[in-house]
Amino acid sequence: MNAAIAPAPTLLTRPHIGFLGVGWIGRNRMEAMLATGGIEAVAIADALPGNGAEAALLAPDAVRLDSLDALLEQPLDGMVIATPSALHAEQSIRALERGVPVFCQKPLGRTGAEVRAVIDAARAADRLLGVDLSYRGTAGMRALREHVRAGQLGHVHAVDLIFHNAYGPDKPWFHDPALSGGGCMMDLGVHLIDLALWVLDFPEVERIDAALFAKGRPLEDRGRQVEDLGMATLHLADGRMVRIACSWNLHAGQDAVIAADFYGDRAGAAFRNIGGSFYDFRAELFRGTARETLSEPGDPWGGRMAAEWAEKLARSPRFDPGCEELAHVADIMDGIYAAATG
């Protein structure tokens, strides 16, 4: 008797996408998805009319709404969420429970428990879940990861990652711990944690040391303060070490300092921003005093993760177990806050 053949995944022709939250980043991700030619933006929801009007310039045929409830009444094949962090988990779960795949801005949740609840909802609904960990989309980090995975660096025993934003966020909710879940570590450090784990294939973390500061003093009350400087050391179970530093409003001498350095016993590699830019990066491979360029500035990476999610959705809306990596990142975030504040 022939074994049962699993049905082929459903192919969606130009999935109908709803966009919840269309401030700058929401509009940017909408534009990236539309540029693939593979989706239709059919609905836009934002409490601020000005944001909706700006987004409507990109998708003039989309219906304009003012709430998640209204958006969920639309016949959607997927939803993009770009709202304040405190809302991400609840909004993602509500969409997934209605059978709507989700692409959410980071962080997916403020705690590991929130993140796991969303992943559980996606698994139960058998629906695609993605998070905009956008630096995975840079050509430089992808090239660096390929070289690490191929053994070009040999045994990578230490990693340094930095993200200093000399300005910091301008929206008040970022500075409200109930709405943001945390400060610069939640905002910027999540990228650094994810990149380290992603490149190293999600190794086990044995111990975390961390320090968080608010306006030059150790962070004392997470209920009332958010950190503007954070540093952490991740001690991996196999003896390797990852160091992370991030900040808002640091006296950095330029707009931003963004870097990831990987040290191996055969070679080293670095990913660094150019001239203080938030967008332009160079990645290089180092052997002794020689260097090889892996990527140059000019890579249009900002919406790449959003575009790739849209393309994946068009192939199949079903659950992707790869999203379970998000729980590991959230666990490290929890560990950093616990180590720093007790």
Side-chain angles (χ1 to χ4, degrees), residues 161-172:
L161 303 105
I162 296 171
F163 196 150
H164 297 306
N165 179 341
Y167 301 103
D170 58 0
K171 293 182 173 60

Side-chain angles (χ1 to χ4, degrees), residues 4 10 34 149 222 261 340:
T10 304
L34 290 170
R149 294 291 185 91
R222 283 193 68 198
D261 293 276

Side-chain angles (χ1 to χ4, degrees), residues 19 30 34 40-44 52 54-64:
F19 291 82
M30 177 191 291
L34 290 170
E40 291 186 42
V42 298
I44 295 165
E54 289 285 333
L57 298 176
L58 297 172
D61 295 329
V63 61
R64 287 173 56 185

Side-chain angles (χ1 to χ4, degrees), residues 10-54:
T10 304
L11 293 177
L12 300 176
T13 302
R14 290 175 62 83
H16 290 187
I17 307 298
F19 291 82
L20 178 64
V22 285
W24 178 86
I25 197 142
R27 294 195 302 272
N28 179 275
R29 298 329 188 225
M30 177 191 291
E31 188 172 17
M33 290 185 178
L34 290 170
T36 69
I39 66 120
E40 291 186 42
V42 298
I44 295 165
D46 198 296
L48 299 177
N51 286 345
E54 289 285 333

Side-chain angles (χ1 to χ4, degrees), residues 110 174 176-177 180-187 222 226-227 248 337:
R110 295 166 294 179
F174 276 95
D176 181 342
S180 63
C184 62
M185 189 62 71
M186 188 71 68
D187 179 37
R222 283 193 68 198
V226 296
E227 73 281 358
W248 294 335
Y337 282 109

Side-chain angles (χ1 to χ4, degrees), residues 107-189:
L108 181 60
R110 295 166 294 179
T111 65
E114 286 190 349
V115 170
R116 280 189 166 77
V118 182
I119 295 170
D120 289 345
R123 189 188 301 106
D126 193 21
R127 285 296 175 260
L128 186 66
L129 171 64
V131 173
D132 194 13
L133 292 163
S134 54
Y135 290 87
R136 285 194 190 188
T138 58
M141 284 306 305
R142 289 184 171 189
L144 194 155
R145 182 175 185 254
E146 288 174 5
H147 279 70
V148 170
R149 294 291 185 91
Q152 295 295 309
L153 277 66
H155 174 66
V156 176
H157 50 277
V159 183
D160 257 324
L161 303 105
I162 296 171
F163 196 150
H164 297 306
N165 179 341
Y167 301 103
D170 58 0
K171 293 182 173 60
W173 68 262
F174 276 95
H175 303 276
D176 181 342
L179 295 178
S180 63
C184 62
M185 189 62 71
M186 188 71 68
D187 179 37
L188 308 177

